[in-house]
Amino acid sequence: MSDDWPFGRTLAHRGSGRAEDGVFPENTFEAVAFAFLLGLPSENDYTLTRDGVVVAMHNLTIEETTNGRGAVRQHTLAELRELDAGGWHSAKYVGLTIPTLEELVTLANDKQGSMIFEGKGPDGEEHLTGHCIASEVSDRWTGNRPKLFSSFQLDVLAGMAEGAPDSLRALNLGKPDEWPEDWFQDARSLGCTTIVAEHDDLPDPLIRDLRRRGMWVAPYCDYDYHVGDDGPDVGRRLHHRPEEVERLFAAGANAVFMDALHPFMR
């Protein structure tokens, strides 16, 4: 594998950051457009509706970021379009809708943006979900801009490999103490060239070992949670950690999934 990482060092997590600290509500059209405006690749999560349409949604259920309830797979696209996907974030984004994969790829083609497509498959439909995501992207993507398919689920990655055999793929692993023993064999068997892992407890020697094994490394994310008792910091907020980002890069990480995009706005 070439050492020439095809993306920049900063990857926009869920478009423009996660939860209430994102510049725009996560996984919306507006969030992805903002990432492209900053010149950053956009990472977003995808799953299937009841009528087989691929949509952007982090969870397999819709409660967290819409005013609806239930599983994405239990709703048609038309039903999901009726939901508010922005008001949970702030009042000024009331009325934003859940975007389809088609809409976001069309935006990427128009803006010449790069993307990371993370697949989330319901139980028993992991392979189908991965195949639908990768094959649709392959059909709609124009030009030679880099794109990356990723998942925590091995069967989703297998479907992605089938739907887009020549694509770049990443195995998502979370915290190192939770990695399965055969993670390297899994990654190799699925044609993965990138490891995505949580930055917490990701020591420098492990990053260097991953690079020696020929893997690109893209940790997430660039924040810690800060809990305040009063004032503007009441509750859980994201706290940007530039020193942690620099540590990761110094150890050999190729890129970092960023939530705190506010520094790019200055």
Side-chain angles (χ1 to χ4, degrees):
M1 183 194 74
S2 169
D3 193 51
D4 190 13
W5 171 247
F7 300 92
R9 301 215 310 174
T10 300
L11 310 174
H13 193 214
R14 306 187 196 180
S16 68
R18 71 187 290 267
E20 67 274 13
D21 291 81
V23 181
F24 288 92
E26 64 183 55
N27 286 320
T28 57
F29 185 94
E30 290 74 10
V32 177
F34 181 73
F36 293 156
L37 181 65
L38 297 179
L40 302 176
S42 180
E43 182 271 349
N44 300 93
D45 312 276
Y46 300 89
T47 192
L48 291 171
T49 67
R50 191 171 78 203
D51 44 349
V53 180
V54 181
V55 294
M57 178 65 62
H58 180 265
N59 297 338
L60 294 176
T61 55
I62 59 178
E63 287 86 350
E64 184 175 357
T65 56
T66 77
N67 59 343
R69 296 185 62 82
V72 178
R73 193 67 162 130
Q74 294 173 339
H75 296 76
T76 66
L77 176 62
E79 291 168 341
L80 292 173
R81 290 291 209 192
E82 295 297 316
L83 301 176
D84 171 24
W88 65 271
H89 181 283
S90 56
K92 64 182 177 179
Y93 296 129
V94 169
L96 297 190
T97 58
I98 298 170
T100 64
L101 176 65
E102 177 182 0
E103 290 168 339
L104 296 183
V105 170
T106 299
L107 175 65
N109 290 337
D110 180 53
K111 301 299 183 183
Q112 293 298 290
S114 297
M115 299 194 78
I116 296 95
F117 303 90
E118 181 175 341
K120 303 283 183 72
D123 288 346
E125 296 188 305
E126 295 91 346
H127 190 281
L128 171 66
T129 302
H131 187 277
C132 288
I133 293 168
S135 59
E136 182 172 351
V137 172
S138 294
D139 289 343
R140 300 186 184 282
W141 197 262
T142 59
N144 296 318
R145 307 180 319 280
K147 57 186 180 296
L148 177 69
F149 297 100
S150 74
S151 185
F152 286 90
Q153 299 168 288
L154 299 183
D155 286 343
V156 170
L157 283 167
M160 289 173 160
E162 185 178 286
D166 297 327
S167 64
L168 294 173
R169 290 183 289 280
L171 176 59
N172 295 12
L173 287 171
K175 293 185 177 182
D177 61 1
E178 299 171 353
W179 293 9
E181 287 188 14
D182 52 356
W183 67 266
F184 187 70
Q185 291 78 5
D186 290 337
R188 283 303 193 204
S189 67
L190 291 165
C192 296
T193 53
T194 302
I195 296 297
V196 176
E198 189 166 339
H199 75 90
D200 286 342
D201 304 316
L202 187 63
D204 295 359
L206 178 54
I207 295 174
R208 290 192 288 268
D209 181 61
L210 291 170
R211 301 292 291 118
R212 281 194 296 268
R213 290 176 182 238
M215 289 288 179
W216 288 320
V217 181
Y220 66 92
C221 294
D222 60 307
Y223 64 85
D224 276 344
Y225 284 121
H226 172 76
V227 179
D229 297 324
D230 53 27
D233 291 326
V234 170
R236 194 172 69 170
R237 305 293 292 178
L238 297 182
H239 174 59
H240 184 42
R241 293 183 60 195
E243 73 285 352
E244 174 68 356
V245 174
E246 290 307 313
R247 178 190 73 82
L248 295 168
F249 286 140
N254 300 93
V256 174
F257 289 90
M258 297 277 281
D259 280 306
L261 298 184
H262 300 82
F264 292 88
M265 301 167 62
R266 295 171 184 167

